[in-house]
Amino acid sequence: GAVVSQHPSWVICKSGTSVKIECRSLDFQATTMFWYRQFPKQSLMLMATSNEGSKATYEQGVEKDKFLINHASLTLSTLTVTSAHPEDSSFYICSASKQHTEAFFGQGTRLTVV
Amino acid sequence: AQTVTQSQPEMSVQEAETVTLSCTYDTSESDYYLFWYKQPPSRQMILVIRQEAYKQQNATENRFSVNFQKAAKSFSLKISDSQLGDAAMYFCAYYSSGGSNYKLTFGKGTLLTVNP
């Protein structure tokens, strides 16, 4: 099967600090990874699409400088929430594309900014 | 831009009965993929079924099947012999493979309740 591991599963941080979330495809190479944000009882909102070795493509309204995405290898993408504020508290999910025909998801990260 | 519409915020079904969840999408592309994902309370996204747009045959996975109507841009999910474990949020998703602009877009979801 295709396994995507997202870490950490939950994190609490102080306002003004930065938090890094990792997304790894464990048994396949993912040329494209997607980052989503999900509010309670709502759908997944696409934040950005990242391709290995190139800059991420952000969706309209998503602050590039606040949500830094790095796709350094075919198995790892990271999302860094910089200068986090309480309004950034949310559930963040990554997804890795396998040959652009399927997408598999990490377990998600619950971020709480206090 | 591609959009995915799920018109049923909530659905309920009796255990062992059949239920159909609706999904429509809007696109100008001819080559794409469609998915149904299940999200239980754990919030882990689980792939239920996938459909390639170039295939006319409807995909089937055990108790799950789809009715794919490409011209109508409709992609409904049928769950047969519903089980308590099927209760979850179901999301329809569109995977765009147009050029190099890959994007996986979701509908708003349908909350399925299974009554014993």
Side-chain angles (χ1 to χ4, degrees), chain A residues 68-90:
Chain A
L68 300 178
I69 292 172
N70 186 301
H71 196 156
S73 75
L74 286 172
T75 59
L76 174 64
S77 177
T78 61
L79 166 67
T80 301
V81 182
T82 63
S83 186
H85 291 285
E87 57 265 31
D88 298 325
S89 298
S90 191

Side-chain angles (χ1 to χ4, degrees), chain A residues 7-65:
Chain A
H7 178 80
S9 56
W10 62 270
V11 58
I12 301 173
C13 71
K14 290 185 177 181
S15 186
T17 62
S18 295
V19 174
K20 180 184 285 188
I21 302 170
E22 291 189 350
C23 181
R24 294 181 183 270
S25 54
L26 299 184
D27 53 0
F28 67 99
Q29 293 183 331
T31 51
T32 299
M33 288 189 175
F34 305 98
W35 286 96
Y36 295 87
R37 184 172 181 175
Q38 186 180 31
F39 292 103
K41 298 185 179 182
Q42 294 190 23
S43 185
L44 282 70
M45 182 187 76
L46 181 63
M47 298 174 66
T49 302
S50 74
N51 295 293
E52 184 266 338
S54 62
K55 290 184 178 180
T57 301
Y58 289 82
E59 293 300 296
Q60 194 171 9
V62 178
E63 298 177 60
K64 300 178 183 181
D65 296 332

Side-chain angles (χ1 to χ4, degrees), chain B residues 2-92:
Chain B
Q2 294 81 18
T3 58
V4 179
T5 301
Q6 293 179 249
S7 59
Q8 306 153 315
E10 297 184 21
M11 290 284 284
S12 63
V13 63
Q14 290 295 126
E15 195 175 4
E17 296 295 309
T18 296
V19 65
T20 299
L21 308 184
S22 301
C23 174
T24 59
Y25 58 95
D26 186 26
T27 184
S28 58
E29 298 176 333
S30 59
D31 188 20
Y32 50 88
Y33 295 84
L34 295 165
F35 305 95
W36 278 97
Y37 285 93
K38 168 184 177 181
Q39 188 180 43
S42 67
R43 304 188 83 169
Q44 171 72 56
M45 296 289 285
I46 301 167
L47 177 65
V48 175
I49 200 166
R50 65 191 286 266
Q51 173 80 45
E52 296 94 329
Y54 65 86
K55 287 188 176 180
Q56 292 186 334
Q57 186 173 6
N58 289 323
T60 299
E61 285 290 340
N62 301 315
R63 298 183 294 107
F64 299 88
S65 61
V66 299
N67 183 2
F68 175 47
Q69 302 290 327
K70 190 172 184 179
K73 298 177 182 175
S74 171
F75 182 61
S76 61
L77 173 70
K78 185 171 81 171
I79 306 174
S80 304
D81 185 25
S82 297
Q83 300 176 0
L84 295 178
D86 295 333
M89 183 70 90
Y90 286 80
F91 292 102
C92 177

